[in-house]
């Protein structure tokens, strides 16, 4: 069985806690991405599952076996790394079968497994090629085939696509998903690329500073981020964040007013909150017709436009006087909006925009924890559904 459990796993180096009290339960057959910024502890976590690094504290289980003190070869895992280490003097067949030959499998069994694996990664007809006669993508497929022939309970992949060019990376993402579907084996996949994690995973484990922030399906991380870190990390471009205060009838910040009853969300006047809104949930007033729950209008000036083909990113200046952090387009008097490509927007244009209140997130500014996703109050849902029933 390929379920993987980390129980209170911590890894400390002299003055660095690389992984801090990590608890993870990965189900048999699941595809889980460990994602987070460089240095957050993803690889260390993976290495502890692999047996390449020993936890300072805590236990690692694969299936129902406690593998904490077992060497990698006894854990039923196979690894694929960013640096594709093929033997340059061996052809593809010998590279793929190397581990099996080392373990003295008989020739027939080796042939059967190599055929099966090379079929899955579409390397048929290339078994007698040498690595230097192959492209980067093909070499990575050899590395994956070498992992497949081991028939592991768990595949561990550490940024396997990082060295490939952008187009090939997108293609290989689909291949790895197809591979997972075919083999139905547990995959733990390390990446710093949130888009890779969003597109491939059953669940994403978001890690920051050695600590697990959230483990959930991609759309749950996107729509209901557990805290400010996850909200900012998942989604590109990132969420807009506006620091403000709770007042009796909602949220206020310089230039922003969003009305709701704070007591419904356990908030009270004077609470410091950060409002989060994704660029696609900000609308020019004239396009906001179908948005049922709108914030008050926000006056803004369009700064730069970025046409992407399928959408346009509009950088808005809401407060000309606010100090701007250029790394955070949606903060400090700025607001990033995404509109349809046929929208009528120009640079340096005065306009009014609204926020879709159903898509507003509120976070406790001090702790960063999410307080509320969507500012539609129960009574509003009630009245909407009562109306719908009345219409029938
Ligand atoms: P990621 O894979 O997310 O980039 P790592 O797991 O490689 O992060 O590293 C997490 C932290 O642990 C980093 O601060 C890194 O410098 C530190 N670290 C990793 N390996 C070692 C080591 N062998 N000795 C000392 N510090 C290490």
């Amino acid at each position: 069985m390929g379920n993987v459990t980390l129980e209170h796993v911590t890894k400390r180096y002299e003055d660095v806690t690389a992984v801090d009290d990590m608890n993870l339960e990965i189900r048999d057959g699941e595809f889980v991405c460990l994602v987070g910024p460089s240095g957050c502890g993803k690889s260390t976590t993976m290495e502890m599952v692999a047996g390449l690094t020993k936890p300072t504290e805590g236990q690692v289980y694969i299936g129902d076996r406690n593998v904490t003190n077992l060497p990698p070869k006894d854990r039923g895992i196979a690894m694929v790394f960013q640096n594709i280490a093929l033997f340059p003097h061996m052809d593809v067949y010998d590279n793929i079968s190397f581990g099996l030959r080392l373990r003295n499998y008989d020739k027939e069994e080796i042939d059967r497994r190599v055929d099966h694996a090379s079929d899955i990664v579409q390397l048929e007809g290339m078994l007698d090629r040498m690595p230097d006669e192959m492209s980067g993508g093909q070499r990575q497929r050899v590395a994956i085939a070498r992992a497949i022939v081991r028939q592991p309970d768990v595949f561990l992949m550490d940024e396997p696509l990082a060295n490939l060019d952008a187009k090939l990376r997108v293609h290989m993402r689909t291949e790895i998903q197809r591979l997972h579907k075919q083999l139905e084996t547990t995959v733990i996949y390390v990446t710093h690329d949130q888009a890779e994690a969003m597109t491939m995973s059953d669940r994403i484990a978001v890690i920051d500073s050695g600590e697990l922030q959230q483990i959930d399906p991609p759309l749950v991380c996107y729509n209901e981020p557990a805290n400010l870190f996850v909200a900012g990390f998942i989604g590109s471009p990132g969420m807009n964040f506006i620091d403000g205060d709770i007042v009796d009838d909602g949220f206020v910040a310089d230039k922003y007013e969003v009305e709701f009853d704070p007591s419904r969300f356990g908030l009270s006047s004077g609470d410091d909150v950060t409002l989060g809104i994704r660029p696609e949930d900000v609308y020019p007033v004239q396009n906001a017709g179908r948005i049922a729950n709108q914030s008050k209008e926000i006056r803004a000036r369009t700064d730069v436009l970025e046409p992407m083909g399928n959408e346009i990113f509009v950088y808005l200046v809401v407060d000309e006087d606010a100090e701007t952090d250029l790394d955070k387009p949606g903060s400090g008097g700025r607001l990033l909006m995404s509109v349809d490509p046929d929208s009528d927007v120009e640079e340096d244009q005065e306009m009014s925009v609204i926020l879709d209140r159903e898509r507003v997130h509120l976070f406790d500014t001090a702790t960063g924890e999410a307080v509320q996703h969507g500012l539609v109050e129960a009574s509003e849902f009630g009245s909407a559904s009562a109306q719908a029933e009345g219409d029938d």
Side-chain angles (χ1 to χ4, degrees):
M1 289 287 279
N3 52 314
V4 176
T5 307
L6 270 64
E7 246 178 41
H8 298 292
V9 168
T10 293
K11 179 66 190 183
R12 274 188 289 272
Y13 294 104
E14 275 172 19
D15 49 356
V16 182
T17 303
V19 174
D20 194 0
D21 195 25
M22 181 83 68
N23 289 291
L24 263 184
E25 269 188 53
I26 296 170
R27 298 186 275 266
D28 185 32
E30 198 174 20
F31 195 125
V32 170
C33 277
L34 309 182
V35 70
S38 183
C40 73
K42 307 179 289 292
S43 298
T44 306
T45 305
M46 173 84 99
E47 285 163 14
M48 290 190 286
V49 177
L52 301 173
T53 298
K54 199 171 172 329
T56 317
E57 284 161 30
Q59 307 296 321
V60 179
Y61 298 84
I62 297 178
D64 48 16
R65 288 190 309 156
N66 185 333
V67 299
T68 316
N69 295 310
L70 290 185
K73 68 176 177 53
D74 297 335
R75 293 189 178 205
I77 49 139
M79 288 174 272
V80 182
F81 293 106
Q82 172 176 351
N83 296 318
I84 312 161
L86 300 184
F87 299 108
H89 58 284
M90 289 185 195
D91 66 11
V92 170
Y93 178 94
D94 283 346
N95 263 290
I96 296 178
S97 60
F98 181 77
L100 303 182
R101 289 186 285 123
L102 208 60
R103 288 177 183 76
N104 294 322
Y105 279 69
D106 70 46
K107 174 90 171 80
E108 229 169 79
E109 176 66 8
I110 293 176
D111 282 347
R112 198 185 60 73
R113 290 198 191 188
V114 172
D115 272 352
H116 172 69
S118 56
D119 185 37
I120 289 176
V121 298
Q122 295 173 344
L123 282 172
E124 313 98 323
M126 296 190 201
L127 293 179
D128 55 359
R129 292 240 191 128
M130 300 304 281
D132 65 3
E133 297 170 330
M134 309 185 90
S135 68
Q138 288 168 333
R139 282 203 294 272
Q140 191 55 287
R141 284 193 229 159
V142 176
I144 294 171
R146 189 169 55 187
I148 294 174
V149 293
R150 306 269 315 275
Q151 301 184 343
D153 295 325
V154 183
F155 280 105
L156 303 177
M157 303 195 180
D158 193 345
E159 305 252 11
L161 309 182
N163 287 344
L164 306 180
D165 68 50
K167 202 162 175 191
L168 188 56
R169 206 158 55 218
V170 172
H171 172 71
M172 287 298 288
R173 263 189 218 162
T174 334
E175 293 223 350
I176 290 178
Q177 278 172 281
R178 191 171 49 78
L179 172 85
H180 176 242
K181 223 171 171 174
Q182 235 170 323
L183 297 175
E184 298 178 336
T185 304
T186 312
V187 178
I188 306 181
Y189 189 107
V190 163
T191 177
H192 65 277
D193 179 349
Q194 63 88 31
E196 212 162 272
M198 285 294 285
T199 48
M200 300 209 295
S201 322
D202 293 318
R203 286 191 300 161
I204 301 181
V206 186
I207 301 173
D208 183 36
S209 306
E211 291 179 25
L212 180 66
Q213 305 292 312
Q214 181 164 11
I215 174 161
D216 268 316
L219 286 181
V220 176
C221 291
Y222 190 82
N223 291 320
E224 295 168 34
N227 56 37
L228 280 170
F229 179 82
V230 178
F233 192 80
I234 300 289
S236 176
M239 194 183 271
N240 296 288
F241 292 120
I242 300 146
D243 288 337
D245 298 298
I246 293 298
V247 291
D248 286 343
D249 59 354
F251 170 90
V252 289
D254 282 347
K255 319 286 180 188
Y256 292 89
E257 242 179 275
V258 185
E259 285 187 325
F260 56 91
D261 176 1
S263 66
R264 286 193 177 275
F265 309 128
L267 292 165
S268 43
S269 193
D271 288 349
D272 285 336
V273 296
T274 299
L275 182 150
I277 186 90
R278 294 204 180 272
E280 68 267 28
D281 300 321
V282 181
Y283 293 82
V285 185
Q286 64 272 21
N287 296 3
R290 65 185 177 81
I291 305 305
N293 286 287
Q294 306 185 2
S295 69
K296 289 212 169 148
E297 287 182 16
I298 301 148
R299 291 294 299 163
R301 175 176 65 78
T302 59
D303 186 11
V304 177
L305 304 186
E306 283 180 356
M308 304 298 291
N310 60 339
E311 61 187 331
I312 307 172
F313 295 130
V314 183
Y315 290 78
L316 296 165
V317 181
V318 175
D319 185 351
E320 301 278 357
D321 301 328
E323 242 178 72
T324 305
D325 178 349
L326 288 177
D327 288 338
K328 295 182 186 163
S331 67
R334 305 285 161 138
L335 189 66
L336 179 56
M337 169 171 77
S338 149
V339 296
D340 289 341
D342 54 357
S343 298
D344 193 14
V345 283
E346 288 168 26
E347 289 185 3
D348 266 326
Q349 179 189 358
E350 296 292 328
M351 61 160 52
S352 293
V353 300
I354 58 99
L355 315 182
D356 180 352
R357 286 196 308 151
E358 291 184 31
R359 307 283 302 165
V360 162
H361 307 264
L362 295 179
F363 302 91
D364 181 319
T365 306
T367 64
E369 296 300 312
V371 177
Q372 180 62 25
H373 304 293
L375 296 180
V376 178
E377 293 154 30
S379 62
E380 294 177 48
F381 271 130
S383 61
S385 60
Q387 176 121 33
E389 278 166 26
D391 289 346
D392 282 345

